[in-house]
């Protein structure tokens, strides 16, 4: 895979379904959620800094290698195992999101069993495509990342024509939740 394909693969893994579902989630909380972006950005930068420092001082790669210094082989195993389990759940969540958006786009009503079967099919199609080699995975990642970024960019640019500062202020905390509850919900 080329550096460009690896970069796109990393980007689409980081975006996942979150970037697509984020506006809906944040709209429920209100425009106070802009503060959660700041908190999340600071937290992400701290995490990135910690990983960068670990990478500078560690001869062993990845989270498992970093934790092995402090906790031995069992720490390495636990870090890698829990990361693998989290990826399993993340991939299922992304597949369910794909099925949900696909059903909505094609105006199809699916029963819970049909959603389950369609999710399994999406997971198997993605798994089968990875058996065809890294080149195919890189090309699919390139298509996927642009399918996420282009609509978000278009909506972000076009949305400014309908931006209303009064509505933004009125929507600050529509449910009158306590400050930390509202910010915590949007984080």
């Amino acid at each position: 895979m080329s550096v460009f394909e690896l970069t796109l693969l990393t980007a689409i893994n980081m975006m996942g379904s979150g970037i697509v579902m984020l506006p809906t989630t944040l709209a429920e909380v209100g425009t106070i959620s802009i503060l959660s972006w700041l908190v999340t950005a600071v937290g992400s930068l701290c995490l990135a800094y910690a990983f960068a420092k670990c990478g500078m001082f560690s001869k062993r790669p990845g989270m498992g290698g970093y934790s092995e210094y402090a906790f031995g082989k069992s720490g390495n195993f636990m870090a890698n195992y829990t990361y693998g389990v989290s990826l399993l759940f993340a991939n299922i969540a992304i597949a369910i999101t794909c099925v949900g958006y696909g059903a909505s786009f094609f105006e199809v009503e699916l029963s819970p069993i049909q959603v389950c079967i369609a999710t399994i099919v999406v997971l198997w199609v993605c798994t089968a495509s990875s058996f065809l080699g890294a080149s195919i995975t890189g090309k699919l990642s390139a298509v996927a990342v642009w399918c996420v970024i282009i609509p978000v960019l278009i909506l972000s640019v076009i949305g400014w024509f309908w931006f209303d500062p009064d509505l933004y202020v009125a929507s600050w905390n529509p449910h009158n939740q306590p400050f930390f509850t509202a910010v915590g919900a949007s984080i």
Side-chain angles (χ1 to χ4, degrees):
M1 293 176 72
S2 70
V3 173
F4 183 71
E5 289 175 333
L6 288 170
T7 302
L8 291 178
L9 181 63
T10 303
I12 197 67
N13 284 332
M14 290 170 61
M15 284 185 239
S17 61
I19 195 170
V20 177
M21 295 172 53
L22 190 62
T24 305
T25 305
L26 296 181
E28 293 173 5
V29 176
T31 54
I32 193 171
S33 60
I34 195 75
L35 298 176
S36 69
W37 284 53
L38 298 173
V39 172
T40 305
V42 169
S44 297
L45 289 172
C46 290
L47 187 60
Y49 180 76
F51 277 120
K53 283 295 190 184
C54 287
M56 287 174 40
F57 297 122
S58 176
K59 301 271 190 251
R60 298 179 185 116
M63 291 184 294
Y66 306 155
S67 61
E68 188 173 337
Y69 283 109
F71 306 109
K73 295 275 186 196
S74 61
N76 185 328
F77 172 78
M78 287 303 294
N80 288 322
Y81 177 78
T82 54
Y83 181 65
V85 170
S86 71
L87 289 178
L88 175 70
F89 288 114
N91 286 332
I92 292 169
I94 291 168
I96 290 171
T97 302
C98 289
V99 170
Y101 276 106
S104 178
F105 182 76
F106 293 112
E107 298 178 356
V108 177
E109 187 70 30
L110 298 176
S111 71
I113 297 295
Q114 291 170 321
V115 169
C116 179
I117 292 169
T119 301
I120 292 169
V121 169
V122 167
L123 289 168
W124 273 109
V125 167
C126 293
T127 301
S129 69
S130 68
F131 292 143
L132 300 174
S135 176
I136 296 295
T137 305
K139 289 177 177 126
L140 288 174
S141 296
V143 170
V145 76
W146 292 115
C147 286
V148 170
I149 289 175
I150 289 173
V152 169
L153 286 176
I154 290 171
L155 289 174
S156 297
V157 171
I158 293 173
W160 280 107
F161 294 107
W162 285 272
F163 180 75
D164 181 7
D166 295 329
L167 181 60
Y168 184 85
V169 171
S171 302
W172 182 254
N173 190 355
H175 302 293
N176 294 320
Q177 295 178 333
F179 177 78
F180 289 109
T181 303
V183 173
S186 61
I187 289 175

